[in-house]
Amino acid sequence: MPVRAVRGAVQLERDEPGHMDEQVARLLSAILERNGLGSDDLISIWFTATPDLHSDFPAAAARGLGIVDVPLICAQELDIEGAMPRVVRVLAHIESDLPRSEIAHVYLGAAGALRKDIAQ
């Protein structure tokens, strides 16, 4: 089975653990649904958060969705002046027969402006 990568991002309205959990779960659910994936198709997920987010680990939302046996890691985005604030990004490595051109990269809400070239 081919290994693919799928990207995604969501901008949070505020830095609160419950809100982060809800929005990241929404993002992960959309990535899985739009690509016809289940948790068994996941190899690993890399989460990044902008430096203004520090209330929780974005990966906690994945665990809350039942993604418990997939390696997850969180890191901080670069602190670039003028960058969109309160953004959680995802890079998931998956097993999928979909060609690269058919992978649905998911950018929710205002985060769609980050990658207009691949946002679905």
Side-chain angles (χ1 to χ4, degrees), residues 7-11 27 31 87-90 106-109 111-112 114:
R7 296 277 318 265
V10 64
Q11 184 182 38
L27 175 61
I31 288 171
V87 175
V88 174
R89 290 173 174 85
V90 171
V106 180
Y107 289 77
L108 299 178
L114 295 171

Side-chain angles (χ1 to χ4, degrees), residues 30-68:
I31 288 171
L32 294 173
E33 181 181 320
R34 292 182 194 180
N35 288 288
L37 302 170
S39 61
D40 287 344
D41 300 314
L42 297 170
I43 297 169
S44 64
I45 305 175
W46 185 282
F47 297 89
T48 65
T50 51
D52 52 359
L53 294 175
H54 44 77
S55 65
D56 203 358
F57 293 100
R63 300 294 185 219
L65 287 176
I67 301 171
V68 295

Side-chain angles (χ1 to χ4, degrees), residues 13-30:
E13 293 175 19
R14 57 194 175 280
D15 184 24
E16 295 175 1
H19 180 64
M20 179 182 290
D21 189 59
E22 173 187 293
Q23 293 303 306
V24 173
R26 187 172 143 241
L27 175 61
L28 290 173
S29 296

